[in-house]
Amino acid sequence: MKQQSEMILIGGGLIGLSLAVELKLRGATVTVLSRNQQEAAGLVAAGMLAPQAEQIPSGPMLDLCLRSRALYNDWTRKLEEMTGLETGYWPCGILAPVYERPDCTTLPQTPETPSYWLERDAILHQQPGLGNDVVGGWWFPQDAQVDNRRGLIKTLQTAAQELGVTIIEGITVEKIVTSPDQKVTEVQTNQGIFRADHYILTTGAWSGELLSIPVYPRKGQMLSVRVPDDFKSLPLQQVLFGSNIYIVPRRDGLIVIGATSEPVGFTTGLTPQGVETLLSDAIRLYPILKEFPIQEFWWGFRPETPDLFPILGPSSWDNLTLAVGHYRNGILLAPVTAQLIANWVLNAQTDPLLHHFRSDRFQTLR
């Protein structure tokens, strides 16, 4: 089977779907080749939009993340209006408790990125029920969350389908075929050969298996609990971002807890150690969780790069663009990635920020 499309996206996770929708809205013909979405980083994540809580250092990565966070409200509202579905976007703010008081409690900020240090009494007023070890923490009111597993990805899938994007599930790309004149000529898959005018790689943790680029899998295990029915209101009204643990409440009473970070390649499945670590760290931070019924366990693979920055923009081939390596920030960076890559592919428009995320930065480092 041979198929021709104006644009082929190799990878049908969150980044691939976000970009497919953006390209289609701008008039492109788009085909998405999707292998196994259930293992993708977009499903293993908790949906935090946390450039400040993550305390990303000042520089291009922080600039990219803040720009994307600023897009989120309008971007999710547009998707919801298109589909009639809920993305679960919630600008609830993020509270970052700590167990040791830092030497400096003032973080760099602007009027658009306020942060507040709270001593123990103040943080307990902000969020009652924190563990006895908590001595204080930061409040980041501009950080937010989205329900990636039950909301955003389903909304993107529906939007793509309604717009006429061709999505082929269960397809494995086996080889990207190139020519001496620096062009991709076709992709070979377990379902035949596909050809397009332009190709975009959005394969997440599997990118290094198709191209010689430094993207590696980082496994994460997660679980969820639910607020018991006898609670009259939600005990958590904001995300808790602790030491090696985060606790993300949804508006319907589900609470997501994550995530381990394991350099074990593509080793699949849950482990007792991983689950025990999540539970003990979460209960230390917010003890009442030990009484909440467990709902689900899951795992997946984040795409890690040597400098933890994504790889965005042109590749060594004229008609292949890269949008991979988002590591912990794929959900946060989805709207800005879609915007910047669509500008580049369709209009050859290069944003100054893209320069910092080109793939050839690793050749420079070597």
Side-chain angles (χ1 to χ4, degrees), residues 206-226:
W206 291 265
S207 302
E209 295 188 338
L210 288 174
L211 290 180
S212 181
I213 53 177
V215 179
Y216 316 103
R218 174 72 66 154
K219 181 181 171 183
Q221 301 181 52
M222 300 190 68
L223 62 93
S224 63
V225 300
R226 180 168 290 281

Side-chain angles (χ1 to χ4, degrees), residues 61-135:
M61 184 62 178
L62 179 60
D63 293 343
L64 188 72
C65 290
L66 290 175
R67 185 188 296 189
S68 201
R69 189 185 69 180
L71 293 173
Y72 237 92
N73 182 61
D74 290 343
W75 184 61
T76 52
R77 184 172 56 192
K78 178 177 69 175
L79 291 170
E80 291 172 349
E81 290 172 351
M82 288 170 55
T83 63
L85 301 175
E86 294 290 331
T87 61
Y89 172 67
W90 185 9
C92 59
I94 295 182
L95 193 64
V98 297
Y99 300 127
E100 295 183 6
R101 197 178 194 281
D103 294 333
C104 178
T105 57
T106 302
L107 297 177
Q109 58 182 299
T110 70
E112 292 75 33
T113 58
S115 63
Y116 305 96
W117 169 258
L118 305 178
E119 298 289 354
R120 177 168 172 81
D121 289 347
I123 201 171
L124 288 176
H125 178 77
Q126 175 79 15
Q127 178 55 63
L130 295 175
N132 292 332
D133 295 341
V134 171
V135 299

Side-chain angles (χ1 to χ4, degrees), residues 7-18:
M7 208 154 297
I8 285 178
L9 274 65
I10 306 170
L14 183 73
I15 296 296
L17 290 171
S18 302

